[in-house]
Coordinates of all heavy atoms in Angstrom, one line a residue:
P6 N 12.0 -166.2 -82.9 CA 13.2 -166.5 -83.7 C 14.4 -166.5 -82.8 O 14.5 -165.8 -81.8 CB 13.3 -165.3 -84.6 CG 12.5 -164.2 -84.1 CD 11.4 -164.9 -83.2
P7 N 15.4 -167.3 -83.1 CA 16.7 -167.3 -82.3 C 17.4 -166.0 -82.4 O 17.3 -165.3 -83.4 CB 17.5 -168.4 -83.0 CG 16.9 -168.6 -84.3 CD 15.5 -168.2 -84.3
R8 N 18.1 -165.7 -81.3 CA 18.8 -164.4 -81.3 C 20.3 -164.7 -81.6 O 20.8 -165.7 -81.3 CB 18.7 -163.8 -79.9 CG 17.3 -163.3 -79.6 CD 17.0 -163.0 -78.2 NE 18.1 -162.1 -77.6 CZ 18.0 -161.5 -76.5 NH1 16.9 -161.7 -75.7 NH2 18.9 -160.8 -76.0
S9 N 20.9 -163.7 -82.3 CA 22.3 -163.8 -82.7 C 23.2 -163.3 -81.6 O 22.8 -162.4 -80.9 CB 22.5 -163.0 -84.0 OG 21.7 -163.5 -85.0
T10 N 24.4 -163.8 -81.6 CA 25.4 -163.3 -80.7 C 26.1 -162.1 -81.4 O 26.2 -162.1 -82.6 CB 26.5 -164.4 -80.4 OG1 25.8 -165.5 -79.8 CG2 27.6 -163.9 -79.5
L11 N 26.4 -161.1 -80.6 CA 27.0 -159.9 -81.2 C 28.3 -160.1 -81.8 O 29.1 -160.9 -81.3 CB 27.1 -158.8 -80.1 CG 25.7 -158.3 -79.6 CD1 26.0 -157.3 -78.4 CD2 25.0 -157.6 -80.7
F12 N 28.6 -159.3 -82.8 CA 30.0 -159.3 -83.3 C 30.9 -158.6 -82.3 O 30.4 -158.0 -81.4 CB 30.0 -158.5 -84.6 CG 29.2 -159.1 -85.7 CD1 28.3 -158.4 -86.5 CD2 29.4 -160.5 -86.0 CE1 27.6 -159.0 -87.5 CE2 28.6 -161.0 -87.1 CZ 27.7 -160.3 -87.8
P13 N 32.2 -158.7 -82.4 CA 33.1 -158.2 -81.4 C 32.9 -156.7 -81.1 O 33.1 -156.2 -80.0 CB 34.5 -158.4 -82.0 CG 34.3 -159.6 -82.9 CD 32.9 -159.5 -83.4
Y14 N 32.5 -155.9 -82.2 CA 32.4 -154.4 -81.9 C 30.9 -154.0 -82.1 O 30.4 -154.0 -83.2 CB 33.2 -153.6 -82.9 CG 33.1 -152.2 -82.6 CD1 33.8 -151.6 -81.6 CD2 32.3 -151.4 -83.4 CE1 33.7 -150.2 -81.3 CE2 32.2 -150.0 -83.1 CZ 32.9 -149.5 -82.1 OH 32.7 -148.1 -81.8
T15 N 30.3 -153.6 -81.0 CA 29.0 -153.1 -81.0 C 28.9 -152.0 -79.9 O 29.4 -152.3 -78.8 CB 27.9 -154.2 -80.7 OG1 28.1 -155.2 -81.6 CG2 26.5 -153.6 -80.7
T16 N 28.4 -150.9 -80.2 CA 28.3 -149.8 -79.2 C 27.0 -149.0 -79.3 O 26.4 -149.0 -80.4 CB 29.6 -148.9 -79.3 OG1 29.6 -148.1 -78.1 CG2 29.6 -148.1 -80.5
L17 N 26.6 -148.4 -78.3 CA 25.5 -147.5 -78.3 C 25.9 -146.1 -78.6 O 26.8 -145.6 -78.0 CB 24.8 -147.6 -76.9 CG 23.5 -146.7 -76.7 CD1 22.4 -147.2 -77.6 CD2 23.1 -146.8 -75.2
F18 N 25.2 -145.4 -79.5 CA 25.5 -144.0 -79.9 C 24.7 -143.2 -78.9 O 23.5 -143.2 -78.7 CB 25.0 -143.7 -81.3 CG 25.3 -142.3 -81.7 CD1 26.6 -141.9 -81.7 CD2 24.3 -141.4 -82.0 CE1 26.9 -140.5 -82.1 CE2 24.6 -140.1 -82.4 CZ 25.9 -139.7 -82.4
R19 N 25.5 -142.3 -78.1 CA 24.9 -141.5 -77.0 C 25.1 -140.0 -77.3 O 25.8 -139.7 -78.3 CB 25.6 -141.9 -75.7 CG 25.3 -143.3 -75.3 CD 25.9 -143.6 -74.0 NE 27.4 -143.6 -74.1 CZ 28.1 -144.1 -73.2 NH1 27.6 -144.7 -72.1 NH2 29.4 -144.0 -73.3
S20 N 24.6 -139.2 -76.5 CA 24.6 -137.8 -76.7 C 25.7 -137.1 -76.0 O 25.7 -135.9 -75.8 CB 23.3 -137.2 -76.3 OG 23.1 -137.4 -74.9
D21 N 26.8 -137.8 -75.6 CA 27.9 -137.2 -74.8 C 28.9 -136.5 -75.7 O 29.9 -136.1 -75.2 CB 28.5 -138.3 -73.9 CG 29.1 -139.4 -74.7 OD1 29.2 -139.4 -75.9 OD2 29.5 -140.4 -74.0
G22 N 28.7 -136.4 -77.0 CA 29.6 -135.7 -77.8 C 30.7 -136.6 -78.4 O 31.5 -136.1 -79.3
Q23 N 30.8 -137.8 -78.0 CA 31.9 -138.7 -78.5 C 31.3 -139.6 -79.5 O 30.3 -140.2 -79.3 CB 32.4 -139.5 -77.3 CG 33.0 -138.7 -76.2 CD 34.4 -139.1 -75.8 OE1 34.8 -140.2 -76.2 NE2 35.0 -138.3 -75.0
C24 N 31.9 -139.7 -80.7 CA 31.5 -140.6 -81.8 C 32.2 -141.9 -81.7 O 33.5 -141.9 -81.7 CB 31.7 -139.9 -83.1 SG 30.5 -138.7 -83.5
P25 N 31.5 -143.0 -81.6 CA 32.2 -144.3 -81.6 C 32.9 -144.6 -82.9 O 32.6 -143.9 -83.9 CB 31.0 -145.3 -81.4 CG 29.8 -144.5 -81.1 CD 30.1 -143.1 -81.5
R26 N 33.8 -145.5 -82.9 CA 34.5 -145.9 -84.2 C 33.4 -146.2 -85.3 O 32.4 -146.9 -85.0 CB 35.3 -147.2 -83.9 CG 36.1 -147.7 -85.1 CD 37.0 -148.8 -84.6 NE 36.3 -150.0 -84.2 CZ 36.3 -151.1 -84.9 NH1 36.9 -151.2 -86.1 NH2 35.6 -152.2 -84.5
G27 N 33.7 -145.7 -86.4 CA 32.8 -145.9 -87.6 C 31.8 -144.9 -87.8 O 31.1 -144.8 -88.8
V28 N 31.6 -144.0 -86.8 CA 30.6 -142.9 -86.9 C 31.2 -141.7 -87.4 O 32.2 -141.2 -86.8 CB 29.8 -142.7 -85.6 CG1 28.9 -141.6 -85.7 CG2 29.1 -144.0 -85.1
L29 N 30.8 -141.1 -88.5 CA 31.3 -139.9 -89.1 C 30.4 -138.8 -89.0 O 29.2 -139.0 -88.8 CB 31.6 -140.2 -90.6 CG 32.5 -141.5 -90.8 CD1 32.5 -141.8 -92.3 CD2 33.9 -141.3 -90.3
T30 N 30.9 -137.6 -89.1 CA 30.1 -136.4 -88.9 C 30.1 -135.5 -90.2 O 31.2 -135.2 -90.7 CB 30.6 -135.5 -87.7 OG1 30.6 -136.3 -86.6 CG2 29.7 -134.3 -87.4
E31 N 28.9 -135.1 -90.6 CA 28.8 -134.1 -91.7 C 29.1 -132.7 -91.3 O 29.1 -132.5 -90.1 CB 27.3 -134.1 -92.2 CG 26.8 -135.4 -92.8 CD 27.0 -135.5 -94.3 OE1 27.9 -135.0 -94.8 OE2 26.1 -136.2 -94.9
E32 N 29.3 -131.8 -92.2 CA 29.6 -130.4 -91.8 C 28.5 -129.8 -91.1 O 28.7 -128.9 -90.2 CB 29.9 -129.6 -93.1 CG 31.3 -129.9 -93.7 CD 31.6 -129.0 -94.9 OE1 31.0 -127.9 -95.0 OE2 32.4 -129.4 -95.7
D33 N 27.2 -130.2 -91.3 CA 26.1 -129.7 -90.7 C 25.8 -130.3 -89.3 O 24.8 -130.0 -88.7 CB 24.8 -129.8 -91.6 CG 24.4 -131.2 -91.9 OD1 25.0 -132.2 -91.4 OD2 23.5 -131.4 -92.7
G34 N 26.6 -131.3 -88.9 CA 26.5 -131.9 -87.6 C 25.8 -133.2 -87.6 O 25.8 -133.9 -86.6
R35 N 25.1 -133.6 -88.7 CA 24.5 -134.9 -88.7 C 25.6 -136.0 -88.7 O 26.7 -135.8 -89.2 CB 23.6 -135.1 -90.0 CG 22.4 -134.1 -90.0 CD 21.6 -134.3 -91.2 NE 22.4 -134.1 -92.4 CZ 22.0 -134.4 -93.6 NH1 20.9 -135.1 -93.8 NH2 22.8 -134.1 -94.7
V36 N 25.2 -137.1 -88.1 CA 26.2 -138.2 -88.0 C 25.7 -139.4 -88.8 O 24.5 -139.6 -88.9 CB 26.5 -138.6 -86.5 CG1 27.2 -137.5 -85.8 CG2 25.2 -138.9 -85.8
Y37 N 26.7 -140.2 -89.3 CA 26.3 -141.4 -90.2 C 27.4 -142.4 -90.1 O 28.5 -142.2 -89.6 CB 26.1 -140.9 -91.6 CG 27.4 -140.4 -92.3 CD1 28.2 -141.2 -93.0 CD2 27.8 -139.1 -92.1 CE1 29.3 -140.8 -93.6 CE2 29.0 -138.6 -92.7 CZ 29.7 -139.5 -93.4 OH 30.9 -139.0 -94.0
V38 N 27.0 -143.6 -90.6 CA 28.0 -144.7 -90.8 C 27.9 -145.1 -92.3 O 27.0 -144.7 -93.0 CB 27.6 -146.0 -89.9 CG1 27.8 -145.7 -88.5 CG2 26.2 -146.5 -90.2
V39 N 29.0 -145.8 -92.7 CA 29.0 -146.3 -94.1 C 28.9 -147.8 -94.0 O 29.7 -148.4 -93.4 CB 30.3 -145.8 -94.8 CG1 30.3 -146.4 -96.2 CG2 30.4 -144.3 -94.8
T40 N 27.9 -148.3 -94.8 CA 27.6 -149.8 -94.8 C 28.6 -150.5 -95.7 O 29.3 -149.8 -96.5 CB 26.2 -150.1 -95.2 OG1 26.0 -149.8 -96.5 CG2 25.2 -149.3 -94.3
I41 N 28.5 -151.8 -95.7 CA 29.4 -152.6 -96.6 C 29.0 -152.4 -98.0 O 29.8 -152.6 -98.9 CB 29.3 -154.1 -96.2 CG1 30.5 -154.9 -96.7 CG2 27.9 -154.7 -96.6 CD1 30.7 -156.2 -96.0
H42 N 27.8 -151.8 -98.3 CA 27.4 -151.5 -99.6 C 27.7 -150.1 -100.0 O 27.2 -149.6 -101.0 CB 25.8 -151.8 -99.8 CG 25.5 -153.2 -99.4 ND1 25.8 -154.2 -100.2 CD2 24.8 -153.7 -98.4 CE1 25.3 -155.4 -99.6 NE2 24.7 -155.0 -98.5
E43 N 28.6 -149.5 -99.2 CA 29.0 -148.1 -99.4 C 27.9 -147.1 -99.3 O 27.9 -146.0 -100.0 CB 29.8 -147.9 -100.7 CG 31.0 -148.8 -100.8 CD 32.1 -148.4 -99.8 OE1 32.2 -147.2 -99.4 OE2 32.8 -149.3 -99.3
Q44 N 26.8 -147.4 -98.6 CA 25.7 -146.5 -98.4 C 25.9 -145.7 -97.1 O 26.4 -146.2 -96.1 CB 24.4 -147.2 -98.3 CG 24.0 -147.9 -99.6 CD 22.7 -148.7 -99.4 OE1 22.5 -149.4 -98.4 NE2 21.8 -148.5 -100.3
K45 N 25.6 -144.4 -97.2 CA 25.7 -143.5 -96.0 C 24.3 -143.7 -95.3 O 23.3 -143.4 -95.9 CB 25.9 -142.1 -96.4 CG 26.1 -141.1 -95.3 CD 26.2 -139.7 -95.8 CE 27.4 -139.4 -96.6 NZ 27.6 -138.0 -96.9
V46 N 24.3 -144.1 -94.0 CA 23.1 -144.3 -93.2 C 23.2 -143.4 -92.0 O 24.2 -143.5 -91.2 CB 22.9 -145.7 -92.8 CG1 21.7 -145.9 -92.0 CG2 22.9 -146.6 -94.0
Y47 N 22.3 -142.5 -91.8 CA 22.3 -141.5 -90.7 C 22.0 -142.2 -89.4 O 21.1 -143.2 -89.4 CB 21.4 -140.3 -91.0 CG 22.0 -139.5 -92.1 CD1 21.6 -139.6 -93.4 CD2 23.0 -138.6 -91.8 CE1 22.2 -138.9 -94.4 CE2 23.6 -137.8 -92.8 CZ 23.2 -138.0 -94.1 OH 23.8 -137.2 -95.1
V48 N 22.6 -141.8 -88.3 CA 22.5 -142.4 -87.0 C 21.8 -141.4 -86.1 O 22.0 -140.2 -86.2 CB 23.9 -142.7 -86.5 CG1 23.8 -143.3 -85.1 CG2 24.6 -143.7 -87.4
E49 N 21.0 -141.9 -85.2 CA 20.3 -141.1 -84.2 C 20.8 -141.5 -82.8 O 21.2 -142.7 -82.6 CB 18.8 -141.2 -84.3 CG 18.3 -140.7 -85.6 CD 16.8 -140.9 -85.7 OE1 16.1 -141.4 -84.7 OE2 16.2 -140.5 -86.7
I50 N 20.7 -140.6 -81.8 CA 21.0 -141.0 -80.4 C 20.2 -142.2 -80.0 O 19.0 -142.2 -80.2 CB 20.8 -139.8 -79.5 CG1 21.9 -138.7 -79.9 CG2 20.9 -140.2 -78.1 CD1 21.6 -137.4 -79.3
G51 N 20.8 -143.2 -79.4 CA 20.1 -144.3 -79.0 C 20.2 -145.5 -79.9 O 19.8 -146.6 -79.6
D52 N 20.7 -145.3 -81.1 CA 20.9 -146.4 -82.1 C 22.2 -147.2 -81.6 O 23.1 -146.6 -81.1 CB 21.2 -145.8 -83.5 CG 20.0 -145.3 -84.2 OD1 18.9 -145.4 -83.7 OD2 20.2 -144.7 -85.3
W53 N 22.1 -148.5 -81.9 CA 23.3 -149.3 -81.6 C 24.1 -149.4 -82.9 O 23.5 -149.5 -84.0 CB 22.9 -150.7 -81.2 CG 22.4 -150.8 -79.8 CD1 21.2 -150.6 -79.3 CD2 23.3 -151.1 -78.7 NE1 21.2 -150.7 -78.0 CE2 22.5 -151.0 -77.6 CE3 24.6 -151.4 -78.6 CZ2 22.9 -151.2 -76.3 CZ3 25.1 -151.6 -77.3 CH2 24.3 -151.5 -76.2
I54 N 25.4 -149.2 -82.8 CA 26.3 -149.3 -84.0 C 27.0 -150.6 -84.0 O 27.7 -151.0 -83.1 CB 27.3 -148.2 -83.9 CG1 26.7 -146.8 -83.7 CG2 28.2 -148.2 -85.2 CD1 25.7 -146.4 -84.7
V55 N 26.7 -151.4 -85.1 CA 27.3 -152.7 -85.2 C 28.2 -152.8 -86.4 O 27.9 -152.3 -87.5 CB 26.1 -153.8 -85.4 CG1 26.7 -155.2 -85.6 CG2 25.1 -153.7 -84.3
A56 N 29.4 -153.4 -86.1 CA 30.4 -153.6 -87.2 C 29.9 -154.7 -88.2 O 29.4 -155.7 -87.8 CB 31.7 -154.0 -86.6
E57 N 30.1 -154.4 -89.5 CA 29.9 -155.4 -90.5 C 30.9 -156.5 -90.3 O 31.9 -156.4 -89.6 CB 30.0 -154.8 -91.9 CG 28.9 -153.7 -92.2 CD 27.6 -154.2 -92.8 OE1 27.4 -155.5 -92.8 OE2 26.8 -153.4 -93.2
M58 N 30.7 -157.6 -91.0 CA 31.7 -158.8 -90.9 C 33.1 -158.4 -91.3 O 34.0 -159.0 -90.8 CB 31.2 -159.9 -91.8 CG 29.9 -160.5 -91.3 SD 30.0 -161.3 -89.7 CE 30.8 -162.8 -90.2
D59 N 33.3 -157.4 -92.2 CA 34.6 -157.0 -92.6 C 35.3 -156.1 -91.5 O 36.5 -155.9 -91.6 CB 34.6 -156.3 -93.9 CG 33.9 -154.9 -93.9 OD1 33.4 -154.5 -92.8 OD2 33.8 -154.3 -95.0
G60 N 34.6 -155.7 -90.5 CA 35.2 -154.9 -89.5 C 35.5 -153.4 -89.8 O 36.0 -152.7 -89.0
I61 N 35.2 -153.0 -91.1 CA 35.5 -151.7 -91.6 C 34.2 -150.9 -91.7 O 34.2 -149.7 -91.5 CB 36.2 -151.8 -92.9 CG1 37.5 -152.5 -92.8 CG2 36.4 -150.4 -93.5 CD1 38.2 -152.9 -94.1
H62 N 33.2 -151.5 -92.1 CA 31.9 -150.9 -92.3 C 31.0 -151.2 -91.1 O 31.2 -152.1 -90.4 CB 31.3 -151.4 -93.6 CG 32.1 -151.0 -94.8 ND1 33.1 -151.9 -95.3 CD2 32.2 -149.9 -95.6 CE1 33.7 -151.4 -96.3 NE2 33.1 -150.1 -96.5
F63 N 29.9 -150.3 -91.0 CA 29.0 -150.4 -89.9 C 27.6 -150.2 -90.3 O 27.3 -149.7 -91.4 CB 29.4 -149.3 -88.8 CG 30.8 -149.4 -88.3 CD1 31.9 -148.9 -89.1 CD2 31.1 -150.1 -87.2 CE1 33.2 -149.1 -88.6 CE2 32.4 -150.3 -86.7 CZ 33.4 -149.8 -87.4
Y64 N 26.7 -150.6 -89.4 CA 25.3 -150.2 -89.6 C 24.6 -150.0 -88.3 O 25.0 -150.5 -87.2 CB 24.5 -151.4 -90.4 CG 24.5 -152.7 -89.7 CD1 23.4 -153.1 -88.9 CD2 25.6 -153.6 -89.9 CE1 23.4 -154.3 -88.3 CE2 25.6 -154.8 -89.3 CZ 24.5 -155.2 -88.5 OH 24.5 -156.4 -87.9
P65 N 23.6 -149.0 -88.3 CA 22.9 -148.7 -87.1 C 21.6 -149.6 -86.9 O 21.1 -150.1 -87.9 CB 22.5 -147.3 -87.3 CG 22.2 -147.2 -88.7 CD 23.2 -148.1 -89.4
I66 N 21.3 -149.9 -85.7 CA 20.0 -150.6 -85.4 C 19.3 -149.9 -84.2 O 19.9 -149.5 -83.2 CB 20.4 -152.1 -84.9 CG1 21.1 -152.8 -86.0 CG2 19.1 -152.8 -84.5 CD1 21.4 -154.2 -85.6
K67 N 18.0 -149.7 -84.4 CA 17.2 -149.1 -83.3 C 17.2 -150.0 -82.1 O 17.2 -151.2 -82.3 CB 15.8 -148.8 -83.8 CG 15.7 -147.9 -85.0 CD 16.1 -146.5 -84.6 CE 16.0 -145.6 -85.7 NZ 16.8 -144.4 -85.6
E68 N 17.2 -149.5 -80.9 CA 17.4 -150.3 -79.7 C 16.3 -151.3 -79.6 O 16.5 -152.5 -79.2 CB 17.4 -149.4 -78.5 CG 17.7 -150.2 -77.2 CD 18.0 -149.4 -76.0 OE1 17.5 -148.2 -75.9 OE2 18.8 -149.8 -75.2
K69 N 15.0 -151.0 -79.9 CA 13.9 -151.9 -79.8 C 14.2 -153.2 -80.7 O 13.9 -154.3 -80.2 CB 12.6 -151.2 -80.3 CG 11.4 -152.0 -80.0 CD 10.2 -151.1 -80.3 CE 8.9 -151.9 -80.0 NZ 7.7 -151.0 -80.2
V70 N 14.7 -153.0 -81.9 CA 15.0 -154.1 -82.8 C 16.2 -154.8 -82.3 O 16.3 -156.1 -82.3 CB 15.2 -153.6 -84.2 CG1 15.7 -154.7 -85.1 CG2 13.9 -152.9 -84.7
F71 N 17.2 -154.1 -81.8 CA 18.5 -154.6 -81.3 C 18.2 -155.6 -80.2 O 18.7 -156.8 -80.2 CB 19.4 -153.5 -80.8 CG 20.7 -153.9 -80.3 CD1 21.8 -154.1 -81.1 CD2 20.8 -154.1 -78.9 CE1 23.0 -154.5 -80.5 CE2 22.0 -154.5 -78.4 CZ 23.1 -154.7 -79.2
I72 N 17.4 -155.3 -79.2 CA 17.1 -156.1 -78.1 C 16.4 -157.4 -78.6 O 16.7 -158.5 -78.0 CB 16.2 -155.4 -77.1 CG1 17.0 -154.3 -76.4 CG2 15.6 -156.3 -76.1 CD1 16.2 -153.3 -75.6
Q73 N 15.6 -157.4 -79.6 CA 14.9 -158.6 -80.1 C 15.9 -159.5 -80.9 O 15.7 -160.7 -80.9 CB 13.8 -158.2 -81.0 CG 12.7 -157.5 -80.2 CD 11.6 -156.9 -81.2 OE1 11.7 -157.0 -82.4 NE2 10.5 -156.4 -80.6
L74 N 16.9 -158.9 -81.5 CA 17.7 -159.7 -82.4 C 19.0 -160.2 -81.8 O 19.5 -161.2 -82.3 CB 18.1 -158.9 -83.7 CG 17.0 -158.5 -84.6 CD1 17.5 -157.6 -85.7 CD2 16.3 -159.7 -85.2
Y75 N 19.6 -159.5 -80.8 CA 20.9 -159.8 -80.4 C 20.9 -160.1 -78.9 O 20.1 -159.7 -78.1 CB 21.9 -158.7 -80.7 CG 22.1 -158.5 -82.1 CD1 21.4 -157.5 -82.8 CD2 23.0 -159.2 -82.8 CE1 21.5 -157.3 -84.2 CE2 23.2 -159.0 -84.2 CZ 22.5 -158.1 -84.9 OH 22.7 -157.9 -86.2
E76 N 22.0 -160.9 -78.5 CA 22.2 -161.1 -77.1 C 23.7 -161.0 -76.9 O 24.5 -161.2 -77.8 CB 21.8 -162.5 -76.6 CG 22.5 -163.6 -77.4 CD 21.8 -165.0 -77.0 OE1 20.7 -165.0 -76.7 OE2 22.6 -166.0 -77.0
F77 N 24.2 -160.5 -75.7 CA 25.6 -160.3 -75.5 C 26.3 -161.7 -75.3 O 25.7 -162.6 -74.7 CB 25.8 -159.5 -74.3 CG 25.4 -158.0 -74.5 CD1 24.1 -157.6 -74.2 CD2 26.3 -157.2 -75.1 CE1 23.8 -156.3 -74.4 CE2 25.9 -155.9 -75.4 CZ 24.7 -155.4 -75.0
A78 N 27.4 -161.8 -75.9 CA 28.2 -163.1 -75.9 C 28.8 -163.3 -74.5 O 29.1 -162.4 -73.8 CB 29.3 -163.0 -76.9

């Protein structure tokens, strides 16, 4: 299948303690993003965080899937 070009904001979630834009933290330390459908989706280290088309909401993608679907512009 053809690969998509990335939206302007895409970042890798790492374990360095810094949360990228759009990544929120629960009181218990779990981290998540809110999708365009207002769903809370939990994020794991190594997930790619991609901005939705509105630039306000985000979704995570596992790296294995990310590599198959996207290419850097």
Side-chain angles (χ1 to χ4, degrees):
R8 292 168 49 171
S9 299
T10 300
L11 291 176
F12 296 131
Y14 181 79
T15 304
T16 190
L17 180 64
F18 181 62
R19 298 183 293 197
S20 62
D21 60 10
Q23 302 228 349
C24 283
R26 183 170 65 110
V28 177
L29 306 169
T30 305
E31 297 265 33
E32 287 183 23
D33 64 6
R35 293 182 300 164
V36 292
Y37 65 95
V38 294
V39 177
T40 69
I41 202 162
H42 302 290
E43 298 297 327
Q44 294 177 315
K45 186 185 290 187
V46 179
Y47 290 97
V48 178
E49 296 179 359
I50 293 169
D52 287 353
W53 282 88
I54 309 302
V55 179
E57 297 270 12
M58 295 295 283
D59 67 1
I61 299 168
H62 298 92
F63 300 84
Y64 60 96
I66 300 179
K67 299 293 180 203
E68 185 167 34
K69 188 174 187 176
V70 175
F71 179 86
I72 291 168
Q73 294 173 354
L74 293 177
Y75 294 96
E76 60 187 29
F77 289 96

